[in-house]
PDB file of all heavy atoms in Angstrom:
ATOM      1  N   PRO A  34     103.520 179.670  29.468  1.00 94.00           N
ATOM      2  CA  PRO A  34     102.248 179.118  29.948  1.00 94.00           C
ATOM      3  C   PRO A  34     101.848 177.817  29.261  1.00 94.00           C
ATOM      4  O   PRO A  34     101.209 176.962  29.877  1.00 94.00           O
ATOM      5  CB  PRO A  34     101.231 180.222  29.680  1.00 94.00           C
ATOM      6  CG  PRO A  34     101.888 181.196  28.774  1.00 94.00           C
ATOM      7  CD  PRO A  34     103.361 180.991  28.866  1.00 94.00           C
ATOM      8  N   GLN A  35     102.238 177.644  28.001  1.00 93.00           N
ATOM      9  CA  GLN A  35     101.890 176.399  27.309  1.00 93.00           C
ATOM     10  C   GLN A  35     102.686 175.223  27.859  1.00 93.00           C
ATOM     11  O   GLN A  35     102.172 174.119  27.961  1.00 93.00           O
ATOM     12  CB  GLN A  35     102.093 176.558  25.805  1.00 93.00           C
ATOM     13  CG  GLN A  35     101.056 177.474  25.216  1.00 93.00           C
ATOM     14  CD  GLN A  35     100.955 177.295  23.736  1.00 93.00           C
ATOM     15  OE1 GLN A  35     101.096 176.201  23.204  1.00 93.00           O
ATOM     16  NE2 GLN A  35     100.698 178.386  23.037  1.00 93.00           N
ATOM     17  N   VAL A  36     103.942 175.449  28.198  1.00 95.00           N
ATOM     18  CA  VAL A  36     104.741 174.391  28.817  1.00 95.00           C
ATOM     19  C   VAL A  36     104.208 174.105  30.217  1.00 95.00           C
ATOM     20  O   VAL A  36     104.080 172.942  30.618  1.00 95.00           O
ATOM     21  CB  VAL A  36     106.239 174.773  28.854  1.00 95.00           C
ATOM     22  CG1 VAL A  36     107.040 173.747  29.643  1.00 95.00           C
ATOM     23  CG2 VAL A  36     106.789 174.908  27.435  1.00 95.00           C
ATOM     24  N   GLN A  37     103.847 175.137  30.956  1.00 95.00           N
ATOM     25  CA  GLN A  37     103.325 174.957  32.312  1.00 95.00           C
ATOM     26  C   GLN A  37     102.101 174.045  32.326  1.00 95.00           C
ATOM     27  O   GLN A  37     101.936 173.243  33.248  1.00 95.00           O
ATOM     28  CB  GLN A  37     102.960 176.317  32.922  1.00 95.00           C
ATOM     29  CG  GLN A  37     104.169 177.162  33.243  1.00 95.00           C
ATOM     30  CD  GLN A  37     103.786 178.573  33.691  1.00 95.00           C
ATOM     31  OE1 GLN A  37     102.684 179.050  33.423  1.00 95.00           O
ATOM     32  NE2 GLN A  37     104.716 179.232  34.365  1.00 95.00           N
ATOM     33  N   ARG A  38     101.262 174.134  31.306  1.00 94.00           N
ATOM     34  CA  ARG A  38     100.041 173.318  31.247  1.00 94.00           C
ATOM     35  C   ARG A  38     100.329 171.825  31.095  1.00 94.00           C
ATOM     36  O   ARG A  38      99.439 171.000  31.307  1.00 94.00           O
ATOM     37  CB  ARG A  38      99.151 173.787  30.111  1.00 94.00           C
ATOM     38  CG  ARG A  38      98.431 175.080  30.413  1.00 94.00           C
ATOM     39  CD  ARG A  38      97.356 175.334  29.375  1.00 94.00           C
ATOM     40  NE  ARG A  38      97.932 175.765  28.111  1.00 94.00           N
ATOM     41  CZ  ARG A  38      97.978 177.026  27.703  1.00 94.00           C
ATOM     42  NH1 ARG A  38      97.470 177.966  28.445  1.00 94.00           N
ATOM     43  NH2 ARG A  38      98.526 177.339  26.554  1.00 94.00           N
ATOM     44  N   LEU A  39     101.545 171.452  30.728  1.00 96.00           N
ATOM     45  CA  LEU A  39     101.886 170.038  30.549  1.00 96.00           C
ATOM     46  C   LEU A  39     102.180 169.336  31.872  1.00 96.00           C
ATOM     47  O   LEU A  39     102.345 168.119  31.903  1.00 96.00           O
ATOM     48  CB  LEU A  39     103.108 169.906  29.630  1.00 96.00           C
ATOM     49  CG  LEU A  39     102.971 170.496  28.230  1.00 96.00           C
ATOM     50  CD1 LEU A  39     104.289 170.377  27.485  1.00 96.00           C
ATOM     51  CD2 LEU A  39     101.836 169.845  27.464  1.00 96.00           C
ATOM     52  N   PHE A  40     102.261 170.092  32.949  1.00 96.00           N
ATOM     53  CA  PHE A  40     102.647 169.560  34.253  1.00 96.00           C
ATOM     54  C   PHE A  40     101.482 169.672  35.233  1.00 96.00           C
ATOM     55  O   PHE A  40     100.639 170.554  35.105  1.00 96.00           O
ATOM     56  CB  PHE A  40     103.854 170.333  34.792  1.00 96.00           C
ATOM     57  CG  PHE A  40     105.109 170.107  33.999  1.00 96.00           C
ATOM     58  CD1 PHE A  40     105.358 170.838  32.840  1.00 96.00           C
ATOM     59  CD2 PHE A  40     106.041 169.165  34.390  1.00 96.00           C
ATOM     60  CE1 PHE A  40     106.507 170.637  32.099  1.00 96.00           C
ATOM     61  CE2 PHE A  40     107.190 168.954  33.657  1.00 96.00           C
ATOM     62  CZ  PHE A  40     107.426 169.684  32.512  1.00 96.00           C
ATOM     63  N   PRO A  41     101.462 168.802  36.242  1.00 95.00           N
ATOM     64  CA  PRO A  41     100.397 168.881  37.252  1.00 95.00           C
ATOM     65  C   PRO A  41     100.464 170.185  38.042  1.00 95.00           C
ATOM     66  O   PRO A  41     101.549 170.713  38.299  1.00 95.00           O
ATOM     67  CB  PRO A  41     100.694 167.696  38.184  1.00 95.00           C
ATOM     68  CG  PRO A  41     101.594 166.789  37.421  1.00 95.00           C
ATOM     69  CD  PRO A  41     102.352 167.663  36.467  1.00 95.00           C
ATOM     70  N   ARG A 100     109.117 165.058  36.271  1.00 96.00           N
ATOM     71  CA  ARG A 100     108.608 165.065  34.902  1.00 96.00           C
ATOM     72  C   ARG A 100     109.518 165.948  34.057  1.00 96.00           C
ATOM     73  O   ARG A 100     110.007 166.971  34.528  1.00 96.00           O
ATOM     74  CB  ARG A 100     107.184 165.596  34.868  1.00 96.00           C
ATOM     75  CG  ARG A 100     106.181 164.621  35.394  1.00 96.00           C
ATOM     76  CD  ARG A 100     104.761 165.179  35.326  1.00 96.00           C
ATOM     77  NE  ARG A 100     103.781 164.170  35.633  1.00 96.00           N
ATOM     78  CZ  ARG A 100     103.533 163.709  36.856  1.00 96.00           C
ATOM     79  NH1 ARG A 100     104.194 164.161  37.876  1.00 96.00           N
ATOM     80  NH2 ARG A 100     102.614 162.784  37.039  1.00 96.00           N
ATOM     81  N   TYR A 102     110.164 167.752  30.068  1.00 95.00           N
ATOM     82  CA  TYR A 102     109.651 168.094  28.745  1.00 95.00           C
ATOM     83  C   TYR A 102     110.740 168.827  27.981  1.00 95.00           C
ATOM     84  O   TYR A 102     111.232 169.862  28.432  1.00 95.00           O
ATOM     85  CB  TYR A 102     108.396 168.968  28.822  1.00 95.00           C
ATOM     86  CG  TYR A 102     107.917 169.379  27.450  1.00 95.00           C
ATOM     87  CD1 TYR A 102     107.457 168.427  26.546  1.00 95.00           C
ATOM     88  CD2 TYR A 102     107.977 170.698  27.040  1.00 95.00           C
ATOM     89  CE1 TYR A 102     107.052 168.793  25.278  1.00 95.00           C
ATOM     90  CE2 TYR A 102     107.565 171.072  25.774  1.00 95.00           C
ATOM     91  CZ  TYR A 102     107.107 170.113  24.891  1.00 95.00           C
ATOM     92  OH  TYR A 102     106.721 170.460  23.638  1.00 95.00           O
ATOM     93  N   VAL A 115     103.698 174.921  22.218  1.00 90.00           N
ATOM     94  CA  VAL A 115     104.104 173.519  22.169  1.00 90.00           C
ATOM     95  C   VAL A 115     103.225 172.802  21.162  1.00 90.00           C
ATOM     96  O   VAL A 115     102.149 173.282  20.800  1.00 90.00           O
ATOM     97  CB  VAL A 115     104.013 172.846  23.559  1.00 90.00           C
ATOM     98  CG1 VAL A 115     104.920 173.539  24.552  1.00 90.00           C
ATOM     99  CG2 VAL A 115     102.590 172.815  24.057  1.00 90.00           C
ATOM    100  N   LYS A 116     103.672 171.649  20.697  1.00 89.00           N
ATOM    101  CA  LYS A 116     102.883 170.862  19.756  1.00 89.00           C
ATOM    102  C   LYS A 116     101.627 170.357  20.466  1.00 89.00           C
ATOM    103  O   LYS A 116     101.658 170.068  21.665  1.00 89.00           O
ATOM    104  CB  LYS A 116     103.703 169.676  19.256  1.00 89.00           C
ATOM    105  CG  LYS A 116     104.906 170.089  18.442  1.00 89.00           C
ATOM    106  CD  LYS A 116     105.736 168.897  18.032  1.00 89.00           C
ATOM    107  CE  LYS A 116     106.963 169.359  17.278  1.00 89.00           C
ATOM    108  NZ  LYS A 116     107.868 168.285  16.977  1.00 89.00           N
ATOM    109  N   PRO A 117     100.524 170.232  19.743  1.00 88.00           N
ATOM    110  CA  PRO A 117      99.263 169.797  20.379  1.00 88.00           C
ATOM    111  C   PRO A 117      99.375 168.444  21.105  1.00 88.00           C
ATOM    112  O   PRO A 117      98.731 168.230  22.107  1.00 88.00           O
ATOM    113  CB  PRO A 117      98.279 169.700  19.209  1.00 88.00           C
ATOM    114  CG  PRO A 117      98.852 170.563  18.141  1.00 88.00           C
ATOM    115  CD  PRO A 117     100.356 170.538  18.334  1.00 88.00           C
ATOM    116  N   GLU A 118     100.226 167.568  20.613  1.00 91.00           N
ATOM    117  CA  GLU A 118     100.362 166.243  21.207  1.00 91.00           C
ATOM    118  C   GLU A 118     101.418 166.184  22.320  1.00 91.00           C
ATOM    119  O   GLU A 118     101.712 165.119  22.860  1.00 91.00           O
ATOM    120  CB  GLU A 118     100.681 165.198  20.125  1.00 91.00           C
ATOM    121  CG  GLU A 118     102.060 165.345  19.492  1.00 91.00           C
ATOM    122  CD  GLU A 118     102.149 166.360  18.357  1.00 91.00           C
ATOM    123  OE1 GLU A 118     101.177 167.066  18.055  1.00 91.00           O
ATOM    124  OE2 GLU A 118     103.230 166.437  17.759  1.00 91.00           O
ATOM    125  N   ALA A 119     101.990 167.313  22.674  1.00 92.00           N
ATOM    126  CA  ALA A 119     103.077 167.349  23.657  1.00 92.00           C
ATOM    127  C   ALA A 119     102.638 166.829  25.016  1.00 92.00           C
ATOM    128  O   ALA A 119     101.511 167.065  25.457  1.00 92.00           O
ATOM    129  CB  ALA A 119     103.596 168.794  23.802  1.00 92.00           C
ATOM    130  N   GLN A 120     103.558 166.114  25.663  1.00 93.00           N
ATOM    131  CA  GLN A 120     103.344 165.584  27.004  1.00 93.00           C
ATOM    132  C   GLN A 120     104.658 165.593  27.763  1.00 93.00           C
ATOM    133  O   GLN A 120     105.720 165.364  27.164  1.00 93.00           O
ATOM    134  CB  GLN A 120     102.834 164.160  26.963  1.00 93.00           C
ATOM    135  CG  GLN A 120     101.456 163.989  26.407  1.00 93.00           C
ATOM    136  CD  GLN A 120     101.006 162.543  26.468  1.00 93.00           C
ATOM    137  OE1 GLN A 120     101.772 161.639  26.793  1.00 93.00           O
ATOM    138  NE2 GLN A 120      99.757 162.309  26.144  1.00 93.00           N
ATOM    139  N   ALA A 121     104.583 165.832  29.044  1.00 93.00           N
ATOM    140  CA  ALA A 121     105.766 165.699  29.892  1.00 93.00           C
ATOM    141  C   ALA A 121     105.977 164.208  30.154  1.00 93.00           C
ATOM    142  O   ALA A 121     105.025 163.429  30.232  1.00 93.00           O
ATOM    143  CB  ALA A 121     105.563 166.441  31.201  1.00 93.00           C
TER     144      ALA A 121
END
Side-chain angles (χ1 to χ4, degrees):
Q35 289 199 35
V36 173
Q37 290 173 340
R38 285 192 286 259
L39 301 176
F40 292 84
R100 286 181 171 75
Y102 177 65
V115 299
K116 295 177 183 174
E118 68 276 5
Q120 293 183 352

